[in-house]
Amino acid sequence: MIPAAGISASPADAQVRPVRASSLMRRSLRLWRTRIGLILVGALVLLAIIGPFVAPHGQSAFIGPPFSNPSGKAPLGTDHIGQDVLSRLLNGGGSILLTAIIATAAGLIAGTVIGMAAAYARNALDDVLMRGMDVIMAFPQVMLALVAVAVVGPHNWVIVLAIALTTAPRIARVARGAALPVVERDFIACSEAMGVPRWRILFVDLFPNILGPLMVEASLRLTYSIGVIAALAFLGLAPNPGAANWGTMIQENRIALAVQPWGAAAPIIAIALLTMGTGLIGDGIARTAAGIDRARGAE
Amino acid sequence: MTVPELDVQPSEPSGAAVTVQDLTVAVSPSGTPVVSDISFEIARGEILGVVGESGSGKTTVGLALLGHARRGLRIASGSIHLAGHDLLALSEDQLRRLRGGAVSYVPQDPASSLNPALRVGLQLREVLEAHSGGRDAGHAERVAEMMREVALPDDRAFLRRYPHELSGGQQQRIGLAMAFANRPRVIVLDEPTTGLDVTTQAHVLSTIRELARLHNVAALYVSHDLAVVAGLARRVAVMYAGQVVEIGTADELFAAAGHPYTRRLIGAIPRLTGGRSLLGIPGRAASPGSRPPGCSFAPRCALRIDECEEAVPPLRAVAADHLVRCIRAELVLGQEQSRVGDPIEMPAAGADAAALSLEDVVASYGRQEVVHSVSLGLTAHECLALVGESGSGKTTIARAIAGLHHNWTGTIMLGGVPLETSARHRSADVRRRIQYIFQNPYGSLNPRRTVGQIIEQPLHVFGLTDGREAGQRVAEMLERVSLTAAYAARYPDQLSGGERQRVAIARALVCDPAVLICDEVTSALDVSVQAAIVELLGNLQRDLGLSMLFITHNLPLVRSIAQRVAVLHNGELTEIGEAAQVLETPGQPYTRQLIADTPSLETAKADLGLGDSPAGAARPGELA
Amino acid sequence: MNRFRSGGLTGFMLRRLLLGLIVLLMVSLVVFAATQALPGDPARAILGRAATPQSLAALRRHLHLNQPVIQQYLTWISGLLRGNLGMSIAAQQPVTTVLGPRLVNSSVLVAVSAVASIPLSIAIGSWAALKREKIFDTLSTNLLLALAALPEFVVAVILVILLATTVSQVLPAVSEIPPGSGPWDHPSALVLPVLTLVIAVAPYVSRIMRASMIEVLESDYVEMARLKGLPERTVMIRHALPNALGPVFQVIALNLAYLAGGIVVVEYVFNYTGIGSALQEAVVNHDLPVVQALAMLIAAVYILLNLLADVATILVTPRLRTRL
């Protein structure tokens, strides 16, 4: 454990001071990277939402020979069975995004509660909870999703459950790590001395003070979730095999990369931009939080 | 040691070991000065004390003597003549050859300044190797010698320890050994006894005195503790807002200071003898960049006139070897002795009903017993001070009373009714009647809530009032602690340490408690702020008729607030009685030892004259 | 009086090993329970529709399917411990035969990736910390940030587009290792998969290295070392580096473990003959014994790597050592 940095001229000064969530978001927007991230994510979310309504053709409509080059009818060419790449692209993001957001949110809620409870308890409960988390974390995310799908089948709820289940312990670790120093602080002891009920202490006193690291980790997890869901589709395990899905498209069309790259390249670019966007947002928040802490410590 | 070959023409030598002229250190890109106009000299074998509160820039000046500035700061102008060179004209490489050799540094926090991954023997040896051109068989013997000089064991086993295996005092002695290793000409000591127990501090201070005398070293001793400085330094410089505001001999300064700030500072120091109220200084010091155009102390000065705000007063001589930065210095010098407060009206701790009583309380951490069968009583309307060093159990007792520490047996009664061990199991009324104020002002307020919400919280928890009435009560409490109602909308990180403690006090008093427990509430504050808070607490306690348990390790502070005092040592109550009696004529040897080890302005002269105070002499092998 | 009792460290390792075994046991329960939830009849799946009731019954007896669940679990576990991982339903061969060579291939892939990525990441992170906010730092940080966000299969396919098919064709798009040979016989087949895995891991390790190094460089003890007049090289190597590496070990282990899962996708993309693609095939074919065996294997590797990381951290942090 690296000792704290900075000899303070005044005693008891170098404490990490958490930031209000709204001001954290606002301040992080000042960084160019957060703005770019937000633009990317915004654009792709927009694409995913209104895409199906502006697609020139149906997602399963055959409009030409397979793997034909871009033309007026199909600006990005056709895919492995002759469907319009552009239309499938516009239709292909929604399910990935929705599943990722739901799964991440579920994991976030569960993980935060578990992490905070473990940090606050600081006793046997802490050990038990964290060992439980360790068991789940013994599986890489993709693998657990694969096993789950192998056993039950590629249904939406299975994927959501698998991802939520593997996201929760990772969030729990971060939440616990962020909560431990806060739990030691006197204002928590003050609430305890007044007899405030435990759940109130957790959600009203503790939770607002761990928002910074939590927000950063949440954006990281969202990025991963998107990746895992797309990877599952890529591996042929999407809920609706025939439906347009960026991951599935890549797998279907990569065989023709030398001939008609757009079938695979377009969804690749879409996923890449989306994940880079969420990654940038997360990094922007992280930097802002760190910068605020540094500036505060120097006061 | 000889002056190293630095390939630079040595500047003209002067008699002093180090001469600083017009030093200015500024923030790096913007150029805002952090310290400015600093000039002083230290002769060989002399100790110059530099005193100031937080933000005064004293550490910055200390580091500048090594040609070093913290990240984000830059030594902007001036000159520092040391060992025949002007430090500010040297390159980084040349400076490195002087650091640790001709001039060395003893840091404030030994625990974090020693590398946790390296054995202490190595960290000692490398300072020798760096200045003698490499490894040398003679170094092992030198290291052993260094250890003996600082009264630490010199055997190999001890040297193979890691820093975390040493006590605070031992770590600090290692720091001293490293600093004196190459027989430097100048040593900068940056508050080296902060965080050490009084007893340990006394030992370390006498070691410093001894070594400085032995090696004829010029020393700069930076501190916020005037009493310590008084016992160590012949001359003292007082810093405020980045400037030296007064410099002279310790005798003269403490007898009759020339600068209003120095006077107020001395008046804020608690005295062991004579129960006098402490006077704080209104307002707070301006940070770099927002300092006023004229005299930086003017906004808070009682002697301010219009001329003070026009230009920065020059540092001028009011006597031989006594310089003051004040245009009204003569007026200040003409005032009587350091202004102390009026003697406190202490209502006699009469035969009132016991508000709180402890009987045979035994408290433990896990299986380790830390409080051994303590019994004491706190009567209504009285203030009882609980003193002891770290590990004495005073905080454990306090937390047990508040129900924050659950692992205790025995009886604790509030108004005759026995209490449950844990706060959760106590009734709301009981919880309301015992209130607790914590030591750390930066940790005891929820950063995510406004001041108003923080003070209101007990009202909601105990169901007393809410809505508009609660808001009014909050405003009332803020006035009572000398903050304005406007503070209610602010967040804690916008407040200073003293202001935060006032908020904590307001929060504790808002629900009309019977017993107030103050746990080292001023230990993290500057001296003048401490005085103001103690003043406030004392007044509130007397006005509201509270029973107060005041926990502190600072003995002299007791005289300014408490009627009775209880002394704890290793979990046992060794002495209890009237404050005046216990502190002026202590009955127990431990109490006598504590008092003897406590630095104070009154006994400072004795320390200086003799070189070692009898209590402080350290023998080799003794713990620190 | 040397406080570092070697018994303390060995004791710690044994305790952690025991804990790891318990976790592994729990994992086995979960894996087994999960596979029990599958609807359908494995015997029928193997023999097909034309099976006679007698052959079905015989196969069920052979597969222990008519025994109580606990019995089946114990049989499976004891088989595992003896090295018998069951029969692959799809290949009709012992799982060990099917997975053996693939395990070798995957191990080589992970090992080469680790050896390539870890020193590189540490170097990049340290250099970026040293030359903070200068060009190298800004460039590397932003580049690695972008790469970190991309899912591995995206990276893999982009590499294929850039280097194997569309933009240029210098490397093979497919990295199949024929049976009977090893990856060392086909080095060019390793390049793209290794590159993908390095790109997956390097950003995280270098980022933590940079952060750790910066914190150490701003610490009190590094400042003190400089104030003692030590040469800058000594400050960096003796004082800064050992303290900076502590947290990095954890992250390295986590990332190696992550690789264990990540190879599934990467092997699939490049058709690399390893356990990752075996897992994908087994899932698609409902080949449960293989899925179970791989799940246990990967979990065991993960747990082992975490243990090694904890031990390494303790070795580098004397303060933790003496508490044992």
Side-chain angles (χ1 to χ4, degrees):
Chain A
M1 183 71 187
I2 299 179
I7 307 174
S8 354
S10 71
D13 212 345
Q15 301 239 359
V16 170
R17 259 155 281 184
V19 196
R20 300 177 266 297
S22 55
S23 80
L24 183 60
M25 274 312 303
R26 239 184 312 120
R27 286 218 215 180
S28 56
L29 281 173
R30 284 195 216 146
L31 296 176
W32 60 263
R33 58 185 64 230
T34 329
R35 286 192 202 152
I36 294 184
L38 217 54
I39 291 174
L40 284 175
V41 172
L44 284 155
V45 168
L46 208 61
L47 189 81
I49 295 179
I50 66 171
F53 302 106
V54 303
H57 308 275
Q59 52 171 310
S60 310
F62 297 101
I63 61 161
F67 293 134
S68 38
N69 284 324
S71 65
K73 205 157 105 178
L76 292 174
T78 59
D79 72 351
H80 71 298
I81 50 177
Q83 295 161 130
D84 176 27
V85 169
L86 179 62
S87 304
R88 284 180 74 81
L89 182 73
L90 292 171
N91 276 288
S95 65
I96 296 182
L97 264 176
L98 193 63
T99 320
I101 290 176
I102 295 178
T104 312
L108 192 57
I109 294 173
T112 308
V113 171
I114 293 176
M116 285 201 303
Y120 185 69
R122 279 164 290 173
N123 55 13
L125 181 64
D126 181 13
D127 279 334
V128 164
L129 281 177
M130 283 299 124
R131 290 305 137 241
M133 297 294 106
D134 280 346
V135 170
I136 302 179
M137 280 205 283
F139 295 97
Q141 261 187 311
V142 171
M143 237 206 61
L144 192 120
L146 271 182
V147 171
V149 165
V151 170
V152 189
H155 306 290
N156 259 321
W157 64 269
V158 176
I159 297 179
V160 168
L161 192 62
I163 292 188
L165 196 62
T166 45
T167 301
R170 291 161 171 89
I171 298 265
R173 246 205 198 174
V174 168
R176 177 178 177 275
L180 275 177
V182 179
V183 158
E184 300 294 325
R185 286 164 64 183
D186 288 334
F187 70 88
I188 300 278
C190 189
S191 292
E192 285 176 0
M194 282 197 268
V196 175
R198 285 195 195 104
W199 65 267
R200 264 193 90 90
I201 294 184
L202 281 184
F203 290 104
V204 178
D205 284 330
L206 185 55
F207 177 69
N209 283 295
I210 60 170
L211 271 179
L214 216 53
M215 279 168 72
V216 173
E217 186 68 16
S219 66
L220 197 68
R221 289 289 125 213
L222 184 62
T223 314
Y224 275 6
S225 301
I226 295 174
V228 169
I229 293 174
L232 283 175
F234 177 75
L235 291 171
L237 298 168
N240 294 341
N245 180 308
W246 289 342
T248 328
M249 284 169 72
I250 301 173
Q251 166 55 14
E252 290 164 349
N253 300 324
R254 70 183 175 116
I255 207 169
L257 273 175
V259 167
Q260 208 286 69
W262 292 109
I268 281 265
I269 293 174
I271 296 180
L273 290 179
L274 179 61
T275 51
M276 282 202 278
T278 52
L280 279 174
I281 294 178
D283 193 61
I285 299 178
R287 275 168 191 255
T288 315
I292 293 177
D293 286 343
R294 246 199 319 266
R296 290 261 172 81
E299 271 168 19
Chain B
M1 62 161 274
T2 54
V3 175
E5 294 295 319
L6 290 180
D7 312 317
V8 165
Q9 204 50 252
S11 35
E12 49 191 84
S14 77
V18 57
T19 309
V20 177
Q21 271 171 312
D22 302 320
L23 174 69
T24 301
V25 178
V27 176
S28 187
S30 62
T32 314
V34 169
V35 302
S36 51
D37 222 1
I38 309 284
S39 304
F40 59 80
E41 256 183 24
I42 316 181
R44 295 217 76 171
E46 176 184 38
I47 302 182
L48 172 71
V50 174
V51 194
E53 301 185 293
S54 42
S56 57
K58 54 195 193 303
T59 297
T60 311
V61 168
L63 285 174
L65 284 195
L66 285 104
H68 179 72
R70 286 264 162 79
R71 200 183 152 85
L73 296 180
R74 188 178 53 92
I75 302 183
S77 63
S79 71
I80 303 179
H81 287 271
L82 191 155
H85 299 275
D86 179 5
L87 290 187
L88 306 185
L90 296 180
S91 70
E92 189 66 24
D93 203 48
Q94 291 163 328
L95 278 173
R96 196 176 323 121
R97 274 182 269 174
L98 287 180
R99 288 176 190 151
V103 55
S104 61
Y105 180 80
V106 178
Q108 173 175 5
D109 186 359
S112 64
S113 302
L114 289 172
N115 193 325
L118 302 176
R119 303 182 199 269
V120 298
L122 172 62
Q123 300 191 50
L124 284 165
R125 214 174 49 237
E126 65 182 357
V127 96
L128 293 173
E129 287 169 7
H131 293 276
S132 67
R135 310 197 75 166
D136 190 318
H139 284 162
E141 182 48 43
R142 272 288 290 132
V143 167
E145 194 188 322
M146 282 152 62
M147 297 296 274
R148 287 191 289 269
E149 270 181 14
V150 294
L152 283 175
D154 60 358
D155 53 285
R156 277 203 66 207
F158 191 84
L159 289 171
R160 278 179 64 78
R161 288 199 193 179
Y162 289 95
H164 67 276
E165 297 176 291
L166 304 179
S167 71
Q170 289 172 324
Q171 289 168 341
Q172 195 51 286
R173 286 163 186 275
I174 298 277
L176 288 174
M178 291 197 302
F180 280 98
N182 288 314
R183 304 285 180 259
R185 297 202 178 181
V186 180
I187 283 201
V188 175
L189 299 115
D190 193 351
E191 308 212 51
T193 58
T194 309
L196 296 178
D197 274 336
V198 158
T199 327
T200 316
Q201 174 176 269
H203 285 248
V204 171
L205 285 175
S206 77
T207 309
I208 293 174
R209 242 181 259 123
E210 181 60 35
L211 287 174
R213 189 181 58 82
L214 192 63
H215 300 303
N216 210 20
V217 178
L220 186 83
Y221 193 94
V222 175
S223 181
H224 65 280
D225 191 339
L226 270 166
V228 165
V229 170
L232 203 60
R234 191 182 77 81
R235 286 166 62 232
V236 175
V238 179
M239 284 192 66
Y240 182 82
Q243 290 177 318
V244 173
V245 296
E246 186 160 3
I247 178 167
T249 59
D251 286 349
E252 254 186 75
L253 240 65
F254 293 125
H259 196 282
Y261 173 67
T262 318
R263 291 256 172 167
R264 297 298 294 255
L265 200 56
I266 293 176
I269 299 175
R271 307 288 163 128
L272 209 51
T273 55
R276 298 193 167 275
S277 66
L278 299 175
L279 296 171
I281 310 177
R284 58 163 150 164
S287 40
S290 43
R291 289 172 181 159
C295 170
S296 41
F297 187 62
R300 307 169 74 187
C301 185
L303 299 176
R304 174 174 51 93
I305 53 177
D306 289 337
E307 224 185 302
C308 295
E309 287 162 347
E310 283 168 21
V312 177
L315 196 61
R316 60 191 177 90
V318 295
D321 204 14
H322 188 180
L323 300 149
V324 181
R325 194 185 287 277
C326 179
I327 56 182
R328 310 193 79 193
E330 285 73 19
L331 180 61
V332 179
L333 287 167
Q335 286 180 340
E336 2 173 295
Q337 279 275 9
S338 311
R339 212 175 134 229
V340 290
D342 309 312
I344 304 175
E345 280 277 329
M346 296 274 200
D352 286 347
L356 193 68
S357 73
L358 275 71
E359 258 177 55
D360 293 323
V361 171
V362 174
S364 321
Y365 277 105
R367 263 176 283 170
Q368 171 84 354
E369 207 179 277
V370 295
V371 173
H372 316 298
S373 201
V374 165
S375 306
L376 52 84
L378 177 69
T379 60
H381 313 307
E382 100 165 312
C383 176
L384 171 70
L386 205 56
V387 299
E389 302 187 286
S390 58
S392 57
K394 55 193 194 301
T395 296
T396 315
I397 291 178
R399 292 173 78 98
I401 297 174
L404 286 170
H405 181 79
H406 316 312
N407 196 347
W408 59 270
T409 58
T411 319
I412 299 184
M413 292 206 274
L414 177 69
V417 177
L419 298 179
E420 303 281 344
T421 52
S422 159
R424 248 175 238 298
H425 299 136
R426 298 178 184 177
S427 71
D429 189 55
V430 165
R431 281 183 261 126
R432 179 188 63 82
R433 284 159 60 203
I434 302 182
Q435 287 295 321
Y436 200 100
I437 305 180
F438 297 85
Q439 170 178 2
N440 186 348
Y442 297 90
S444 59
L445 306 179
N446 190 336
R448 295 299 316 278
R449 289 188 167 194
T450 62
V451 163
Q453 289 169 329
I454 292 174
I455 299 179
E456 246 182 56
Q457 187 190 14
L459 293 175
H460 293 306
V461 171
F462 297 123
L464 294 174
T465 55
D466 52 11
R468 269 194 43 203
E469 238 189 271
Q472 277 172 348
R473 190 102 173 94
V474 168
E476 213 183 289
M477 291 315 302
L478 281 170
E479 300 283 337
R480 261 201 184 263
V481 296
S482 311
L483 294 173
T484 64
Y487 272 81
R490 297 200 202 166
Y491 283 89
D493 53 277
Q494 297 166 295
L495 271 54
S496 70
E499 288 168 339
R500 291 189 203 203
Q501 278 304 44
R502 290 173 192 268
V503 171
I505 294 173
R507 170 176 62 187
L509 296 177
V510 77
C511 50
D512 279 326
V515 174
L516 190 62
I517 303 178
C518 300
D519 187 1
E520 303 256 28
V521 297
T522 56
S523 307
L525 302 173
D526 280 328
V527 170
S528 61
V529 180
Q530 168 177 272
I533 296 291
V534 167
E535 188 184 7
L536 173 68
L537 277 173
N539 290 336
L540 284 171
Q541 190 247 330
R542 289 185 282 278
D543 291 345
L544 297 175
L546 292 169
S547 310
M548 188 153 80
L549 192 64
F550 192 86
I551 300 180
T552 181
H553 64 277
N554 187 341
L555 272 181
L557 197 55
V558 170
R559 289 306 302 269
S560 305
I561 190 167
Q563 287 120 308
R564 287 196 306 143
V565 61
V567 179
L568 286 171
H569 179 54
N570 284 340
E572 280 178 12
L573 185 62
T574 57
E575 189 162 357
I576 183 167
E578 298 268 331
Q581 204 172 17
V582 171
L583 295 178
E584 281 171 23
T585 51
Q588 296 295 321
Y590 176 68
T591 318
R592 261 181 255 137
Q593 171 80 25
L594 267 189
I595 294 174
D597 283 340
T598 301
S600 68
L601 289 177
E602 293 100 342
T603 58
K605 276 194 200 168
D607 289 342
L608 263 185
L610 296 176
D612 297 292
S613 62
R619 284 169 281 283
E622 220 170 59
L623 60 77
Chain C
M1 191 200 318
N2 190 357
R3 293 262 188 97
F4 172 40
R5 303 182 310 274
S6 57
L9 187 62
T10 328
F12 172 78
M13 279 176 64
L14 284 175
R15 277 197 303 277
R16 285 302 309 271
L17 206 56
L18 192 63
L19 196 64
L21 285 174
I22 295 177
V23 173
L24 207 53
L25 193 69
M26 288 198 273
V27 166
S28 73
L29 285 169
V30 169
V31 168
F32 190 79
T35 55
Q36 284 302 103
L38 179 76
D41 183 3
R44 184 172 287 279
I46 293 173
L47 293 180
R49 288 187 186 275
T52 60
Q54 292 94 331
S55 52
L56 280 175
L59 185 56
R60 282 201 200 102
R61 252 196 317 271
H62 181 74
L63 292 177
H64 308 289
L65 289 177
N66 48 355
Q67 287 177 342
V69 177
I70 310 260
Q71 190 74 22
Q72 290 188 43
Y73 173 72
L74 289 173
T75 317
W76 176 60
I77 281 283
S78 56
L80 271 185
L81 293 172
R82 270 182 282 122
N84 171 13
L85 299 172
M87 280 287 270
S88 159
I89 295 179
Q92 291 299 303
Q93 281 187 327
V95 170
T96 32
T97 319
V98 170
L99 292 183
R102 288 179 171 242
L103 186 58
V104 171
N105 293 343
S106 290
S107 310
V108 170
L109 180 59
V110 171
V112 173
S113 306
V115 164
S117 64
I118 291 171
L120 181 69
S121 314
I122 291 183
I124 293 180
S126 310
W127 195 250
L130 219 57
K131 304 287 167 189
R132 205 170 148 182
E133 321 262 325
K134 306 227 179 85
I135 296 192
F136 178 81
D137 183 23
T138 330
L139 273 181
S140 63
T141 307
N142 288 323
L143 179 63
L144 292 173
L145 178 66
L147 290 177
L150 299 176
E152 294 95 58
F153 76 95
V154 169
V155 172
V157 176
I158 289 180
L159 284 178
V160 166
I161 293 180
L162 289 177
L163 295 172
T165 55
T166 318
V167 173
S168 69
Q169 300 189 352
V170 293
L171 289 165
V174 167
S175 304
E176 204 164 336
I177 309 285
S181 63
W184 41 84
D185 300 320
H186 309 271
S188 61
L190 271 183
V191 174
L192 283 183
V194 166
L195 196 55
T196 311
L197 289 177
V198 167
I199 292 179
V201 162
Y204 294 100
V205 180
S206 55
R207 190 176 0 186
I208 194 89
M209 186 69 207
R210 177 182 179 275
S212 179
M213 192 57 130
I214 287 179
E215 199 177 333
V216 167
L217 287 176
E218 290 185 346
S219 67
D220 287 358
Y221 54 86
V222 165
E223 185 183 46
M224 192 64 218
R226 291 197 174 118
L227 289 175
K228 288 201 289 195
L230 299 180
E232 194 63 18
R233 260 193 83 223
T234 314
V235 173
M236 288 301 304
I237 298 183
R238 189 189 287 168
H239 285 262
L241 209 53
N243 284 295
L245 281 178
V248 180
F249 285 138
Q250 288 272 347
V251 176
I252 290 180
L254 274 169
N255 275 283
L256 285 180
Y258 176 74
L259 280 183
I263 55 173
V264 173
V265 175
V266 172
E267 286 185 2
Y268 178 72
V269 173
F270 294 105
N271 219 2
Y272 187 80
T273 327
I275 58 176
S277 50
L279 182 59
Q280 193 268 343
E281 285 165 21
V283 165
V284 166
N285 294 328
H286 288 284
D287 194 344
L288 286 180
V290 176
V291 172
Q292 284 174 329
L294 282 175
M296 291 302 297
L297 182 66
I298 293 181
V301 167
Y302 196 94
I303 292 172
L304 186 67
L305 283 172
N306 270 308
L307 173 67
L308 285 176
D310 284 346
V311 170
T313 307
I314 291 204
L315 282 177
V316 168
T317 314
R319 210 179 73 234
L320 296 175
R321 248 192 271 169
T322 56
R323 272 210 214 132
L324 295 174

